[in-house]
């Protein structure tokens, strides 16, 4: 069920810069690196019947790298789920939009400030949908830095063991995390081969190319 977004990727980045200025946020790169991924999911893949973020038959998008949430807010604004004035007051005193992905915001399904935990939540949601026999799909976006967390691998292995074909894991390989380059902090050499060994169908694409995505 496609949704025609009125906001472009470049406009989302402009909005990110505006929000970061207001909220004095340091998470600009984290948001910039996932703009096309989130935009493509919302426009081409995620199903929200009646454009309702709480519809019982909706798909689920869980942003495990919650610090990249500024890339999502302009899309929620475009869909009419979050008022523009919320973005104008982002992360400032009294703001209703936090600097992390939190469940009280329409279109956000969980609290994912603790890295690695969002993947666990997403796998649980996918398992629940399977048990209930629904056609709902779960898309989870994680960062390459949070792969250092053991909880990530426990969830990733469980999804494969349970053969959750309604679960899609997207990893943003932007090459950086809080303390430096990912290859210097903890190398991810052979990530595709590791996930393939776990039973995943792995595709590597340009995360800024919406056609490839």
């Amino acid at each position: 069920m496609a949704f025609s977004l009125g906001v472009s990727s470049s406009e989302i980045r402009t909005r990110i810069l505006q929000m970061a200025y207001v909220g004095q946020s340091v998470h600009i790169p984290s948001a910039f690196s996932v703009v096309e991924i989130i935009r493509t999911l919302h426009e081409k893949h995620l199903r929200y019947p009646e454009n309702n973020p709480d519809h019982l038959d909706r798909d689920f998008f869980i942003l495990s790298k919650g610090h990249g949430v500024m890339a999502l807010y302009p899309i929620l604004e475009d869909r009419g789920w979050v008022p523009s004035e919320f973005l104008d007051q982002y992360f400032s005193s009294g703001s209703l939009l936090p600097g992390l992905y939190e469940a009280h915001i329409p279109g956000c399904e969980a609290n994912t400030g603790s890295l690695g935990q969002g993947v666990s939540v997403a796998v649980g949601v996918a398992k629940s949908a399977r048990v209930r026999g629904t056609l709902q799909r779960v898309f989870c976006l994680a960062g390459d830095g949070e792969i250092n967390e053991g909880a990530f691998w426990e969830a990733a292995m469980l999804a494969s063991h349970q053969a959750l074909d309604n679960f899609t894991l997207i990893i943003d390989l932007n090459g950086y995390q809080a303390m430096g380059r990912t290859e210097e902090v903890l190398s991810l050499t052979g990530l595709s081969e590791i996930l393939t060994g776990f039973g995943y169908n792995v595709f590597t694409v340009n995360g800024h190319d919406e056609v490839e995505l």
Side-chain angles (χ1 to χ4, degrees):
M1 186 178 299
F3 183 88
S4 182
L5 290 172
V7 61
S8 67
S9 292
S10 61
E11 289 170 334
I12 292 173
R13 286 190 169 85
T14 298
R15 203 70 166 112
I16 289 170
L17 291 175
Q18 292 170 340
M19 284 187 287
Y21 178 79
V22 170
Q24 296 297 290
S25 172
V26 299
H27 290 143
I28 296 172
S30 304
F32 269 28
S33 68
V34 296
V35 167
E36 284 80 12
I37 297 172
I38 298 178
R39 189 181 184 283
T40 299
L41 283 172
H42 268 268
E43 186 162 70
K44 300 294 185 181
H45 299 285
L46 289 166
R47 299 173 299 198
Y48 291 97
E50 303 170 2
N51 192 37
N52 181 356
D54 297 317
H55 199 285
L56 294 179
D57 295 324
R58 70 187 184 279
D59 288 333
F60 293 88
F61 169 62
I62 295 177
L63 181 63
S64 191
K65 53 170 291 181
H67 52 291
V69 74
M70 284 193 293
L72 176 62
Y73 285 153
I75 293 174
L76 304 185
E77 174 191 29
D78 189 69
R79 297 195 74 132
W81 299 349
V82 172
S84 297
E85 55 266 28
F86 282 21
L87 277 69
D88 296 335
Q89 300 165 0
Y90 169 76
F91 209 37
S92 56
S93 178
S95 172
L96 296 178
L97 288 187
L100 294 169
Y101 181 89
E102 296 187 9
H104 69 277
I105 304 298
C108 299
E109 304 285 359
N111 295 340
T112 60
S114 181
L115 292 175
Q117 299 302 312
V119 183
S120 300
V121 173
V123 171
V125 173
K127 177 64 175 179
S128 174
R130 170 70 63 79
V131 170
R132 290 181 289 112
T134 75
L135 298 177
Q136 293 166 291
R137 301 169 300 168
V138 181
F139 297 86
C140 181
L141 175 53
D144 51 2
E146 71 176 301
I147 292 176
N148 297 353
E149 297 284 351
F152 170 91
W153 293 105
E154 293 176 18
M157 288 188 287
L158 180 61
S160 176
H161 178 73
Q162 293 286 334
L164 298 177
D165 56 5
N166 60 343
F167 172 71
T168 299
L169 174 63
I170 304 167
I171 300 175
D172 173 33
L173 289 170
N174 64 22
Y176 288 90
Q177 54 183 288
M179 303 307 293
R181 296 182 60 86
T182 52
E183 63 182 25
E184 296 170 352
V185 177
L186 192 61
S187 175
L188 294 172
T189 302
L191 179 61
S192 294
E193 290 77 9
I194 293 170
L195 289 171
T196 298
F198 284 169
Y200 282 80
N201 294 319
V202 179
F203 301 89
T204 301
V205 300
N206 180 346
H208 299 299
D209 187 324
E210 294 190 18
V211 175
E212 283 193 45
L213 288 165

